[in-house]
């Protein structure tokens, strides 16, 4: 299950618990984090499939997203927000984020994106071998 870890930063504790429950039900290992530093430290030591960042958290900005995606290019990054449009994240959304999810997260949409990532990873491995 090492490759199916989903790390996420979520400011809403109830939403975080619901996200964990849904991910675990679909055989993903949910790893909730409370800070960007925790996420950085975790993904340096352990592989994961994706990171979901709550961009409503005041510690998340364009620069932090860009640094994470540059430092960990093998990880897929998602943005998650209550707001449909975040103009302050225009650069990140355009260049560094794989997909944007609305809060509360539509689980069907999230699992669709995760399946796309897994299919892409399998295809990439086939191309290399």
């Amino acid at each position: 299950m090492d490759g199916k870890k989903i790390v996420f930063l979520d400011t809403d504790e109830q939403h975080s618990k619901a996200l964990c429950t849904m991910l675990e039900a679909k055989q993903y290992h949910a790893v909730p984090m409370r800070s960007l530093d925790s996420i950085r430290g975790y993904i340096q030591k352990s592989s994961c499939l994706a990171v979901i960042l709550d961009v409503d958290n005041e510690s998340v900005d364009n620069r932090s997203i860009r640094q994470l995606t540059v430092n960990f290019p093998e990880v897929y990054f998602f943005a998650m927000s209550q707001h449909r449009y975040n103009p302050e994240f225009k650069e990140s959304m355009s260049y560094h984020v794989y997909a944007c999810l609305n809060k509360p997260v539509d689980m069907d949409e999230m699992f669709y994106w995760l399946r796309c990532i897994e299919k892409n990873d399998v295809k990439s491995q086939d191309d290399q071998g």
Side-chain angles (χ1 to χ4, degrees):
M1 190 189 293
D2 195 46
K4 290 184 78 166
K5 289 181 186 167
I6 310 298
V7 178
F8 64 94
L9 174 68
D10 191 350
T11 56
D12 181 339
E13 194 170 325
Q14 278 188 302
H15 187 260
S16 180
K17 287 179 184 177
L19 200 53
C20 281
T21 300
M22 293 304 292
L23 286 165
E24 298 283 344
K26 294 285 188 173
Q27 308 304 310
Y28 292 93
H29 180 69
V31 184
M33 297 281 169
R34 298 291 174 228
S35 73
L36 286 174
D37 287 337
S38 298
I39 288 174
R40 274 187 209 96
Y42 185 86
I43 59 180
Q44 282 176 335
K45 296 175 186 165
S46 181
S47 66
C48 66
L49 180 64
V51 172
I52 302 171
L53 298 172
D54 181 353
V55 297
D56 297 335
N57 183 310
E58 67 265 0
S59 67
V60 179
D61 59 15
N62 270 315
R63 183 175 183 208
S64 59
I65 293 172
R66 183 177 58 249
Q67 286 176 334
L68 282 169
T69 60
V70 167
N71 291 332
F72 304 101
E74 71 283 0
V75 178
Y76 292 86
F77 287 86
F78 290 81
M80 175 177 62
S81 177
Q82 313 179 36
H83 309 286
R84 283 213 167 281
Y85 181 65
N86 292 317
E88 66 273 18
F89 290 101
K90 183 178 178 181
E91 180 210 346
S92 296
M93 301 303 169
S94 299
Y95 300 107
H96 304 289
V97 172
Y98 184 72
C100 301
L101 304 169
N102 289 324
K103 276 177 77 174
V105 171
D106 177 331
M107 294 301 170
D108 290 334
E109 179 186 16
M110 182 180 65
F111 290 125
Y112 166 80
W113 288 117
L114 292 173
R115 283 190 309 273
C116 289
I117 290 169
E118 290 175 320
K119 286 178 186 175
N120 188 37
D121 282 351
V122 168
K123 186 177 178 183
S124 295
Q125 289 172 4
D126 288 347
D127 290 346
Q128 292 174 3

